Amino acid sequence: TFRGDTSVGPEEGRGDTSPQFDVSGHSQRVVSEDGLVLRDNVFGSPADDARRRDFTVNALAYNIDDFSILDYVGGMEDLRNGVIRTIGDPGLRFVEDPVRMLRAVRFAALLGFTVEEETWAALMNNAAVINRAAPPRLYEEFLKLFLSGKGGTIYQLMRKGGLFSPLFPGFDEWLTRETDGFPHARVGENLYWIDTRVARGETISPPLMIALMFGEYLEERAEGYRRQGTCFQDAMTAAVSDFVGEQAPLVTIPHRISLAVREILMLQVRLGKIPGKRPQSVLSRPAFNDALDYLRCRCRFADQDSPFLIWWENYAKSKILPPVAADDKNNAGKRPRRRRKRKPRTATVSL
């Protein structure tokens, strides 16, 4: 179904600029006071549909009658030149839907294109409005960005364009300062490590990606609690809880994901003990594989072989574990409850 562009005026090819309504009498296009499009459902022609899209390279259609490409906005030229360009005024298009700025960065990184100069300037000028998008939607876009296989490049583009700070203000402020005289270079290196794994066709879980991206920051926050006398588990729980709470109005991280992130980071202490008590139970933890990958990435960043990593890898290979059912993941590693034996009942006969 082709949709029309109700924002186009008569001088741009649309003669009727009066409001359009559905069969119930409600307006088919609703825009907030800030210019954010809340509802936009107007039927139109293929040309209308092309003009309402975000970027020229996304507005190409294929005609199955004569096998031709329909290009109403100069998308083929931008495709040949490797350019990401908005259709119409980039400032207006980004205000209508702020997520388009993230899409511009993602397409540029994935395709190896450059963002057109005017489009990039509008992105930088409007980066602060990215928070107008719904936090759950921004979380989904966040996963698309950093699990795309170009997360390292996207991370650099987002910081350069000013998109990263509004989404992760506390984390971004931490990135700008040093810890013990060293810059926080591990974040970018971890993202490039993820990109390498994705390029090999491997799957990176959202909790592992988040742990690798924010782990060093969360560990430092947990250390602050530990200096106040809090035990490690409670300190890490508090650090993750604080971070997720701060991010909730911006990028909402689901509770189950935050629990898995906490488990990955907590298991790093247990993986530092070989063999320790009951190593078999560590292998049966749902987050074990992600925790081991976290340790692998850390060792790669340090450019050294860890005896702990080698031991756990060998131990995991020597044990064949049954797959953990989805319903049993929360109880993995726990001892089964023993049933108390009941005494046999005795019958009483009245004489």
Side-chain angles (χ1 to χ4, degrees):
T1 301
F2 298 112
R3 290 197 288 173
D5 186 358
T6 59
S7 65
V8 178
E11 70 282 358
E12 297 175 274
R14 181 173 173 267
D16 181 15
T17 58
S18 60
Q20 300 188 33
F21 301 90
D22 58 22
V23 292
S24 62
H26 294 93
S27 174
Q28 294 175 311
R29 179 178 172 87
V30 180
V31 183
S32 70
E33 294 180 356
D34 298 326
L36 181 68
V37 176
L38 304 177
R39 185 168 69 245
D40 185 6
N41 187 22
V42 178
F43 296 115
S45 66
D48 292 333
D49 189 83
R51 281 192 290 265
R52 71 177 300 281
R53 294 184 179 273
D54 48 9
F55 306 111
T56 58
V57 294
N58 277 350
L60 301 172
Y62 181 64
N63 191 335
I64 61 174
D65 286 336
D66 58 8
F67 312 110
S68 63
I69 294 177
L70 305 179
D71 181 11
Y72 300 98
V73 292
M76 284 303 299
E77 182 179 357
D78 286 340
L79 192 64
R80 295 189 189 98
N81 296 330
V83 173
I84 301 296
R85 185 197 311 270
T86 58
I87 300 172
D89 180 8
L92 177 61
R93 303 315 299 273
F94 289 151
V95 170
E96 288 177 341
D97 185 0
V99 172
R100 286 172 177 159
M101 293 185 284
L102 298 180
R103 287 167 58 83
V105 169
R106 178 157 58 91
F107 290 146
L110 285 175
L111 301 174
F113 285 12
T114 58
V115 180
E116 181 263 337
E117 185 176 346
E118 186 179 352
T119 301
W120 182 256
L123 184 149
M124 295 184 68
N125 291 334
N126 292 279
V129 306
I130 188 64
N131 289 333
R132 293 180 186 173
R137 185 186 178 193
L138 287 175
Y139 172 74
E140 295 300 324
E141 292 295 327
F142 167 69
L143 295 184
K144 291 179 185 178
L145 289 168
F146 294 103
L147 292 176
S148 64
K150 295 292 182 180
T153 303
I154 288 171
Y155 169 70
Q156 301 297 338
L157 287 174
M158 287 184 66
R159 296 201 70 198
K160 182 179 179 181
L163 287 170
F164 200 82
S165 178
L167 295 176
F168 306 100
F171 180 63
D172 186 74
E173 189 277 330
W174 174 80
L175 287 170
T176 59
R177 55 183 171 85
E178 297 180 343
T179 298
D180 297 329
F182 294 95
H184 301 117
R186 206 171 96 187
V187 178
E189 292 292 334
N190 288 357
L191 290 173
Y192 283 117
W193 182 84
I194 292 175
D195 294 342
T196 302
R197 298 284 297 273
V198 173
R200 294 204 300 255
E202 300 179 26
T203 300
I204 301 294
S205 71
L208 175 59
M209 184 270 290
I210 294 173
L212 287 170
M213 190 168 183
F214 302 104
E216 187 181 8
Y217 172 60
L218 294 172
E219 288 167 350
E220 190 170 309
R221 293 188 67 161
E223 185 59 30
Y225 281 105
R226 294 199 67 185
R227 285 195 291 267
Q228 299 174 12
T230 308
C231 69
F232 173 76
Q233 278 117 347
D234 291 344
M236 185 57 70
T237 297
V240 174
S241 178
D242 290 348
F243 174 66
V244 173
E246 294 165 2
Q247 286 299 134
L250 306 171
V251 180
T252 302
I253 301 175
H255 182 62
R256 59 182 179 81
I257 299 295
S258 66
L259 291 179
V261 172
R262 184 189 64 180
E263 184 77 358
I264 291 170
L265 298 176
M266 283 185 174
L267 276 173
Q268 298 310 304
V269 173
R270 182 61 186 87
L271 296 180
K273 301 174 183 178
I274 50 177
K277 295 181 179 179
R278 300 177 61 225
Q280 179 70 15
S281 66
V282 179
L283 265 64
S284 63
R285 301 281 282 272
F288 172 76
N289 288 328
D290 282 345
L292 197 62
D293 272 338
Y294 185 92
L295 182 59
R296 285 192 185 101
C297 183
R298 173 177 285 183
C299 293
R300 180 182 179 277
F301 182 79
D303 196 22
Q304 62 181 11
D305 293 330
S306 167
F308 303 102
L309 174 62
I310 295 173
W311 191 92
W312 282 106
E313 285 180 334
N314 292 333
Y315 183 72
K317 290 177 181 178
S318 67
K319 302 293 180 180
I320 301 177
L321 298 176
V324 180
D327 295 338
D328 298 333
K329 284 186 177 180
N330 294 330
N331 297 322
K334 297 181 180 179
R335 293 181 180 180
R337 295 180 61 182
R338 293 183 179 180
R339 293 186 178 182
R340 295 179 60 183
K341 293 183 179 180
R342 295 183 178 181
K343 295 181 180 180
R345 295 181 179 180
T346 56
T348 303
V349 181
S350 300
L351 300 176

